[in-house]
């Protein structure tokens, strides 16, 4: 019987159990003088849960552990001369045995011991399967009968069903925590692994990035200096912020203070579209349109600008975070109390003077928060820089040249075949940890500032 | 200016008036400039949106039509000499039949399919008689077409000996030549095609043998490296759909459940504060970090398959979870407490209040948030690269456990292809498909919000 069929049967049994519970609770209610504690549906649900959940648990545990157990039993009974088989050969043998056992067969003549092992595997699988179905059936029926017998006016069925519901909610909300723990543990674990190959001081303060390939031999480790990457990240992010912050802030000011309602209604959602476009699309846009444009521009002006450079990546990334800056600043500017504006206007200040001398200073903490959030977004951005920054991890201060960033290097070191033994791929986790710590601290500071600011006016 | 003010005679009203007027002019000028700067910023944003879409559309739309040779193909039995297809014999295991079937298919593959394509094209160009030149005719049709012909015969061996009018995809270079995506005045040494092949392509195009047909391969075929003209998005699209389904099945229920717990049940204590801070920070963690998590946990520890949509779906679910939680929480917060109090007041339990009253009212908001989260997830590339989804996969995945790519990753792979003239357009077309998918999801979200939104 297929697993899906099994699950479907289980679900049908639960539906049936629900009906039994419903009927039973009604008949109990009909004969007894006391009022039932819960409505009939809850008794039905309780019976269905007791019928289904234990069997489901058995099913999950069984499918998780059974293949491993059968494998080890079959392997233990192989002829002694095969006991020394390792790695791939063992895998091949096992696959052949599995294929014979499943009835598909192998194309050449199987050896006698293979046939015997396959026979054993098949019988084990069959008994295992039968035992699983039998125990599930027993649990189903036992749960059903036991709960049906428990139904009486005193049984607090609703509370029990609701506690199952609440348990599900609690489990769901811990998943977010588990994710963070998973991130931290995997990063720290693999990064520590990496630091067994490379001295942390060399990593954090090294000025040369040249990891070599993992095949060139263990003696020749390559150099893993973080600084060129960090500098590239910083340069691209600064360019991005130089584009995004003035444009975003002025957009927000104009939208909040000047724009007629119709312009606001049209322009705001259109600019927000920029935030929804996938970053790979920006990367392609930078590579095909913006990069060549800057290159031609550089030729006419007489500066040597590469098509893939820190400038290209930074400007496109800036365009990407404009809506991010503008919508955050818009929220903050509209939160500045009306009275402050009126006071300034009443003293005879023009609108722009009010904005520059009253509204913006009052909103400054919030805007700084928005700025930090945008910076953290820019530092963590990957695809634009992968496509448009040119990937050259060298320390230099020329924005018209190619650079490399932390995120680009993570992608370069960890794609291809992933083996987790060489420093060349493990370095990705050390870089990831650095990135995580930087963005996390920026976020925490930013959220703290924004929250403080909100409290000020609430 | 300031000094002038102080030293000016205060009694003379006309001087004072002049000073004020002068400063007023300056201040109004500043006001105008400020306003213009704001308007310029708005138009810069709008202009960038327009430029982005215009450049993608201008490049991508032509790729939806592709040069195709429409011609009659003769499945010549003299060239395709094969035994009849093997049938199951008594006493044969499935493995043995499978082996004989494979041998038969190999025999079929060995047939000279190139000759058939050559003969087909030579029928239109009878003046080409030289054997070398005839062999060059094959350059007009993309190399994958011979396998398409073979697969037709495998599906229906009775085709041998028949004539069929078929559409054969032209080679990628022919497509580039006919669309003018390569400079036609370049010298021969820089052209991808030999001069006579170019002349034939023009000739056949004029006679209507090569036509620009709507590009069904883009949607029907998986990726291909050997036969560039037949590279399509089907594998990536199905991979993305699998991941989308996994995100909807995992991130949305779990996200809604945690939001309900945090909003409605959670006591105010250290633990729930921790969850809250945690969720806000997770929402801002760069997506590539989730890719590292997937590589370390799902692939290195749990040994899940590389490049499989199931792993991609899990990683994207974890990434989308905070978005769904935050959206759901703000929707729940917007539902007035009076609804809750009324439900509790007439004797509903807390769970009943939530399931019967709060959630149904919150549903449109929750759906909107969920759809926006899902749309974001399917556009994400970086984490997928780290779990090996950038591998080249030439098949449409049948289950979420098979190897596959995703739409954004396919875009990444195509933009790096060497045949730039052809793949710039193809990549833009893929971007149009991806943006179309995302925009329709977002439109659905906006429609839901407009249709069901309630203001309290």
């Amino acid at each position: 019987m297929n697993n899906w069929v099994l699950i479907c049967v289980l679900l049908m049994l639960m539906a049936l159990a629900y009906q039994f519970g419903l009927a039973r609770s009604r008949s109990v209610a009909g004969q007894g003088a006391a009022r039932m504690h819960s409505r009939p549906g809850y008794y039905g649900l309780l019976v269905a849960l007791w019928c289904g959940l234990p069997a489901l648990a058995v099913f999950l545990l069984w499918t998780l552990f059974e293949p491993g157990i059968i494998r080890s039993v079959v392997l233990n009974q192989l002829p002694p001369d095969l006991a020394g088989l390792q790695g791939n050969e063992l895998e091949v043998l096992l696959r052949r045995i599995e294929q014979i056992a499943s009835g598909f067969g192998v194309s050449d003549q199987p050896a006698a011991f293979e046939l015997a092992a396959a026979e054993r595997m098949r019988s084990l699988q069959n008994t295992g399967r039968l035992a699983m179905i039998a125990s599930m059936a027993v649990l189903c029926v036992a749960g059903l009968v036991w709960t049906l017998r428990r139904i009486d006016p005193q049984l607090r069925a609703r509370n029990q069903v609701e506690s199952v519901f609440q348990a599900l909610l609690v489990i769901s909300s811990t998943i977010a925590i588990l994710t963070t723990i998973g991130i931290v543990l995997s990063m720290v674990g693999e990064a520590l692994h990496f630091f067994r190959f490379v001295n942390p001081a060399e990593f954090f303060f090294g000025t040369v990035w040249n990891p070599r390939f993992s095949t060139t031999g263990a003696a020749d480790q390559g150099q893993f200096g973080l600084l060129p990457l960090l500098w590239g990240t910083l340069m691209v992010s600064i360019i991005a912020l130089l584009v995004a912050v003035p444009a975003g802030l002025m957009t927000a000011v104009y939208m909040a203070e000047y724009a007629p309602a119709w312009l606001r209604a049209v322009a705001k959602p259109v600019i927000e579209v920029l935030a929804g476009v996938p970053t790979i699309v920006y990367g392609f846009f930078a590579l095909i349109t913006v990069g060549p444009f800057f290159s031609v521009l550089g030729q006419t002006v007489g500066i040597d600008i590469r098509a893939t450079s820190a400038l290209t990546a930074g400007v496109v990334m800036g365009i990407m975070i404009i809506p991010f800056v503008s919508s955050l600043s818009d929220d903050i500017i509209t939160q500045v109390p009306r009275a402050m504006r009126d006071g300034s206007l009443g003293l005879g200040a023009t609108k722009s003077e009010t904005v520059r001398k009253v509204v913006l200073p009052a909103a400054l903490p919030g805007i700084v928060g928005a700025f930090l959030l945008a910076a953290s977004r820019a530092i963590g951005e990957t695809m634009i820089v992968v496509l448009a920054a040119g990937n050259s991890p060298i320390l230099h201060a020329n924005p018209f040249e190619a650079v490399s960033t932390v995120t680009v290097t993570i992608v370069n070191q960890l794609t291809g075949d992933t083996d987790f033994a060489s420093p060349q791929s493990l370095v990705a986790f050390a870089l990831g940890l650095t990135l995580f710590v930087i963005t996390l601290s920026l976020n925490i500071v930013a959220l703290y500032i924004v929250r403080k600011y909100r409290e000020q006016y609430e | 200016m300031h000094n002038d003010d102080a030293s000016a005679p205060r009694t003379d009203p006309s001087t004072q008036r002049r000073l004020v007027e002068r400063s007023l002019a300056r201040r109004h000028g500043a006001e105008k400039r400020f306003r213009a700067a704001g308007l310029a910023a708005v138009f810069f944003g709008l202009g960038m949106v327009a430029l982005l879409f215009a450049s993608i559309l201008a490049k991508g739309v032509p790729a939806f039509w592709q040069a195709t040779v429409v011609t009659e193909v003769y499945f010549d039995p003299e060239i395709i000499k094969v035994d009849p297809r093997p049938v199951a014999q008594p006493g044969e295991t499935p493995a043995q039949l499978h082996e004989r079937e494979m041998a038969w298919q190999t025999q079929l593959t060995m047939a000279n399919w190139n000759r058939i394509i050559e003969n087909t094209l030579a029928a239109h160009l009878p003046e080409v008689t030289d054997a070398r030149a005839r062999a060059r005719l094959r350059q007009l049709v993309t190399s994958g077409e011979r396998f398409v012909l073979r697969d037709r015969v495998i599906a229906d061996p009775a085709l041998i000996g028949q004539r069929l009018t078929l559409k054969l995809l032209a080679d990628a270079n022919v497509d580039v030549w006919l669309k003018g995506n390569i400079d036609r005045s370049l010298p021969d040494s820089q052209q991808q095609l030999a001069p006579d092949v170019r002349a034939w392509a023009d000739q056949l195009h004029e006679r209507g043998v090569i036509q620009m047909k709507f590009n069904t391969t883009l949607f029907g075929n998986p990726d291909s490296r050997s036969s560039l003209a037949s590279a399509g998005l089907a594998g990536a699209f199905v991979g993305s759909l699998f991941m989308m389904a996994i995100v909807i099945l995992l991130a949305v229920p779990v996200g809604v459940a945690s939001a309900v717990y945090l909003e409605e049940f959670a006591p105010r204590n250290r633990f729930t504060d921790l969850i809250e801070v945690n969720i806000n920070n997770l929402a801002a963690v760069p997506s590539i970090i989730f890719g590292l998590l997937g590589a370390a946990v799902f692939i290195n520890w749990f040994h899940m398959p590389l490049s499989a949509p199931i792993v991609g779906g899990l990683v994207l679910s974890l990434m989308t979870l905070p978005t769904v939680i935050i959206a759901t929480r703000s929707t729940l917060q917007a539902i007035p407490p009076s609804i809750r109090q009324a439900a509790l007041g007439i004797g509903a339990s807390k769970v009943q209040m939530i399931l019967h009253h709060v959630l149904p009212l919150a549903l449109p908001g929750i759906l909107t948030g969920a759809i926006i989260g899902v749309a974001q997830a399917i556009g994400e590339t970086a984490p997928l690269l780290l779990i090996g989804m950038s591998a080249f996969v030439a098949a449409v995945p049948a289950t979420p456990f098979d190897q596959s790519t995703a739409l954004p990753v396919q875009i990444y792979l195509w933009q790096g292809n060497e045949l730039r003239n052809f793949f710039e357009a193809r990549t833009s077309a893929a971007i149009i498909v991806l943006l179309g998918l995302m925009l329709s999801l977002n439109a659905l979200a906006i429609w839901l919000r407009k249709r069901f939104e309630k203001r309290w």
Side-chain angles (χ1 to χ4, degrees):
Chain A
M1 221 192 312
N2 190 324
N3 279 346
W4 292 113
V5 179
L6 211 58
I7 295 290
C8 287
V9 169
L10 193 62
L11 285 178
M12 279 192 283
L13 277 177
M14 285 175 76
L16 214 63
Y18 176 80
Q19 293 299 334
F20 280 149
L22 215 61
R24 167 88 184 142
S25 74
R26 285 200 175 120
S27 77
V28 169
Q31 63 193 241
R35 266 186 60 186
M36 301 294 282
H37 171 271
S38 312
R39 297 174 63 208
Y42 286 102
Y43 292 99
L45 274 177
L46 188 67
V47 177
L49 286 175
W50 271 105
C51 169
L53 287 187
L56 197 66
V58 165
F59 173 78
L60 288 179
L61 289 177
W62 207 289
T63 39
L64 211 60
F65 293 116
E66 191 201 29
I69 294 174
I70 289 185
R71 260 177 165 221
S72 65
V73 170
V74 169
L75 282 182
N76 275 336
Q77 297 187 357
L78 282 179
D81 54 315
L82 286 165
L85 276 182
Q86 288 295 325
N88 256 343
E89 291 176 44
L90 196 65
E91 283 299 315
V92 170
L93 178 64
L94 270 172
R95 187 152 324 130
R96 280 173 65 88
I97 292 175
E98 272 165 16
Q99 281 190 351
I100 301 172
S102 70
F104 187 72
V106 286
S107 45
D108 55 351
Q109 204 45 247
F113 76 87
E114 286 179 332
L115 284 177
E119 189 50 45
R120 203 169 304 119
M121 181 179 264
R122 184 156 52 199
S123 74
L124 276 175
Q125 276 171 349
N126 284 343
T127 29
R129 193 90 198 152
L130 282 179
M132 180 179 83
I133 294 175
S135 54
M136 281 173 71
V138 166
L139 277 175
C140 255
V141 173
L144 179 74
V145 172
W146 183 64
T147 327
L148 275 180
R149 289 177 63 111
R150 275 169 64 213
I151 292 179
D152 68 8
Q154 265 81 53
L155 179 69
R156 299 161 71 84
R158 179 176 56 81
N159 302 41
Q160 294 191 11
V161 171
E162 286 182 354
S163 60
V164 172
F165 179 77
Q166 275 203 46
L168 278 179
L169 294 188
V170 175
I171 292 171
S172 302
S173 61
T174 47
I175 287 182
I177 296 234
L178 287 180
T179 312
T180 312
I181 296 177
I183 289 178
V184 172
L185 280 189
S186 62
M187 293 293 156
V188 171
E190 304 289 339
L192 284 179
H193 204 134
F194 168 73
F195 288 134
R196 269 190 284 166
F197 293 96
V198 177
N199 187 351
E202 262 175 51
F203 173 70
F204 286 112
F205 302 110
T207 54
V208 179
W209 175 265
N210 183 12
R212 313 264 163 86
F213 292 106
S214 48
T215 45
T216 45
D220 195 16
Q221 276 294 337
Q223 287 163 290
F224 298 91
L226 175 67
L227 289 183
L229 307 178
L230 217 50
W231 171 243
T233 306
L234 203 65
M235 194 147 82
V236 175
S237 308
I238 288 174
I239 296 172
L241 291 174
L242 284 180
V243 173
V245 170
L249 199 57
M250 283 313 288
T251 306
V253 167
Y254 190 83
M255 292 291 193
E257 306 284 337
Y258 291 103
W262 66 266
L263 182 63
R264 208 178 144 88
V266 173
K268 231 183 147 179
V270 172
I271 292 180
E272 303 267 311
V273 165
L274 285 175
V277 172
T279 56
I280 178 82
V281 177
Y282 280 107
F284 186 70
F285 175 64
L287 192 67
I288 299 295
T289 311
V290 180
F293 169 73
F294 278 138
S295 175
V296 170
L297 192 73
Q299 271 169 21
T300 51
V301 180
I303 319 171
D304 187 25
I305 303 183
R306 284 188 44 138
T308 53
S309 62
L311 181 71
T312 312
V315 167
V316 174
M317 195 192 285
I319 294 171
M320 183 189 85
I321 48 182
I322 286 177
F324 196 68
V325 176
S326 77
S327 66
L328 273 174
S329 317
D330 198 341
D331 285 354
I332 290 156
I333 289 171
T334 43
Q335 268 174 28
V336 173
R338 184 79 235 164
M340 291 178 78
R341 286 191 185 82
D342 290 346
S344 165
L345 292 171
L347 285 173
T350 63
K351 226 170 179 183
S352 67
E353 284 164 346
T354 307
V355 169
R356 270 180 303 176
K357 305 213 167 119
V358 177
V359 177
L360 285 185
L364 193 65
I367 290 171
V368 170
F371 175 82
L372 291 180
L373 284 179
S376 119
R377 177 67 63 102
I379 288 171
E381 171 45 43
T382 311
M383 292 321 291
I384 295 177
V385 258
V386 166
L387 294 191
N391 188 26
S392 92
I394 300 165
L395 267 179
H396 62 71
N398 183 356
F400 305 134
E401 278 293 316
V403 292
S404 185
T405 69
V406 174
T407 49
V408 174
T409 314
I410 294 177
V411 169
N412 287 343
Q413 299 302 115
L414 210 61
T415 31
D417 55 342
T418 320
D419 87 271
F420 284 79
S422 67
Q424 276 79 4
S425 52
L426 284 174
V427 70
F429 291 94
L431 291 171
L433 188 63
T434 318
L435 186 68
F436 183 66
V437 170
I438 294 174
T439 51
L440 193 66
S441 24
L442 277 177
N443 285 329
I444 290 176
V445 173
L447 286 178
Y448 176 78
I449 293 177
V450 171
R451 188 173 300 175
K452 266 268 159 259
Y453 169 78
R454 279 214 184 111
E455 280 163 9
Q456 204 180 326
Y457 288 118
E458 261 164 16
Chain B
M1 262 326 202
H2 203 255
N3 281 341
D4 285 358
D5 276 354
S7 61
R10 281 166 191 279
T11 44
D12 181 359
S14 69
T15 324
Q16 216 167 24
R17 190 188 174 90
R18 211 182 55 239
L19 282 173
V20 167
E21 271 171 359
R22 206 192 299 159
S23 87
L24 256 187
R26 183 175 46 83
R27 288 168 60 200
H28 285 158
E31 168 77 23
K32 266 195 194 122
R33 281 194 298 280
F34 190 75
R35 210 180 156 135
L39 199 59
V42 172
F43 276 98
F44 176 72
L46 294 179
M48 282 302 146
V49 178
L51 183 65
L52 181 67
F53 281 88
S55 84
I56 300 286
L57 284 178
K59 281 233 157 55
V61 168
F64 285 103
W65 284 268
Q66 195 170 356
T68 310
V69 184
V70 184
T71 179
E72 190 174 69
V73 178
Y74 177 43
F75 290 89
D76 191 346
E78 287 300 305
I79 301 175
I80 316 169
K81 289 181 195 144
V82 284
D83 306 330
R85 181 184 202 134
V87 283
Q89 269 155 19
E92 199 179 36
T93 66
Q96 280 158 352
L97 177 68
H98 184 68
E99 175 135 329
R100 288 205 301 132
E101 171 81 25
M102 291 319 283
W104 178 74
Q105 289 192 14
T106 313
Q107 197 189 7
L108 202 57
T109 308
M110 301 298 277
N112 195 347
W113 295 99
N114 281 335
R115 174 61 58 77
I116 291 192
I117 290 176
E118 240 174 81
N119 290 346
T120 305
L121 291 170
H124 294 285
L125 295 163
E127 68 275 17
V128 184
T129 47
D130 175 43
R132 283 242 185 106
R134 272 180 66 103
R136 272 208 300 282
L137 276 176
R138 287 206 305 270
Q139 292 180 16
L140 287 169
V141 172
T142 189
S143 62
E145 287 300 332
R146 56 178 196 259
F147 301 115
V148 175
L149 293 181
R150 179 200 65 186
D151 290 346
R152 275 178 180 272
V153 176
I154 288 177
D156 179 15
L159 276 182
I160 298 175
Q162 288 188 26
R163 286 173 191 280
L164 227 60
T165 303
L166 295 177
K167 285 184 234 166
L168 302 178
L169 274 183
D171 188 77
N173 283 314
V174 173
D175 185 70
V176 169
W177 172 255
L178 290 177
K179 280 181 182 161
N181 284 341
I182 190 167
D183 188 354
R184 284 188 166 228
S185 59
L186 283 177
D188 283 353
S189 60
Q190 290 179 30
Q191 292 284 2
Q192 298 287 326
L193 295 170
D196 49 355
V197 180
R198 279 179 275 154
W200 295 331
D202 283 336
Q203 222 175 322
L204 291 179
H205 187 47
E206 263 168 41
R207 278 195 242 149
V209 178
I210 298 183
Q211 301 171 4
M212 292 292 164
K213 287 270 180 197
F214 185 74
N215 194 348
T216 48
T217 46
L218 184 65
F219 302 100
N221 278 15
D223 195 10
S224 169
R225 268 186 193 167
S226 55
S227 169
L228 298 176
S230 29
L233 282 175
F237 197 82
V238 174
S240 272
L241 285 188
F242 276 136
M243 282 188 259
M244 203 167 109
I246 292 167
V247 172
I248 291 173
L249 286 179
L250 287 181
V252 176
V254 171
V256 172
S258 3
V260 167
Y261 177 73
L262 289 175
E263 269 315 304
E264 308 285 340
F265 287 101
R268 275 273 175 218
N269 59 23
R270 280 271 178 81
F271 181 67
T272 47
D273 274 355
L274 184 72
I275 297 184
E276 208 163 333
V277 172
N278 191 358
I279 287 168
N280 283 334
N281 283 322
L282 265 189
V285 167
S287 61
I288 193 167
I289 301 282
F290 286 96
L292 284 172
L293 170 77
V297 174
F298 296 133
I299 291 184
N300 196 27
W301 294 355
F302 294 158
H303 293 288
M304 286 169 120
L306 268 174
S307 316
I310 179 80
V311 183
L314 283 172
V315 169
L316 293 181
S317 299
L318 292 182
M319 209 189 78
T320 321
L321 198 57
T323 319
V324 177
I325 296 178
I326 291 173
T328 309
R329 288 190 70 178
S330 65
T331 318
L332 290 177
Q333 277 162 4
I335 289 176
S338 55
I339 303 257
R340 295 185 179 83
Q341 286 154 2
L344 292 177
I346 54 169
S349 73
K350 212 162 179 184
V351 174
Q352 286 171 331
M353 161 197 97
I354 290 162
L355 288 181
H356 300 175
H357 302 281
V358 176
L359 277 187
L361 287 173
L363 198 62
I366 292 174
L367 281 180
T368 312
I371 292 171
I372 288 174
V374 169
Q376 229 174 51
I378 60 169
E380 199 56 65
T381 322
L384 300 183
L385 293 182
L386 296 191
I387 53 165
M389 295 208 69
S390 57
F392 166 72
V393 182
V396 179
T399 70
F401 297 91
D402 295 341
Q403 287 216 322
S404 150
T405 52
L407 277 177
V409 180
Q410 191 69 64
I411 293 168
Y412 173 68
L413 291 175
W414 278 358
Q415 62 79 28
N417 194 294
E418 293 86 10
L419 191 59
R420 287 212 87 124
N421 294 332
F422 185 68
F423 270 95
E424 257 178 29
R426 204 89 165 166
T427 311
S428 305
I431 289 179
I432 294 175
V433 172
L434 176 65
L435 285 181
L437 189 62
M438 293 182 65
L439 281 181
S440 40
L441 279 175
N442 279 309
L444 181 68
I446 291 172
W447 180 78
L448 275 174
R449 188 159 49 194
K450 284 252 148 65
R451 174 86 177 70
F452 295 106
E453 188 178 48
K454 254 193 193 142
R455 293 235 169 242
W456 304 99

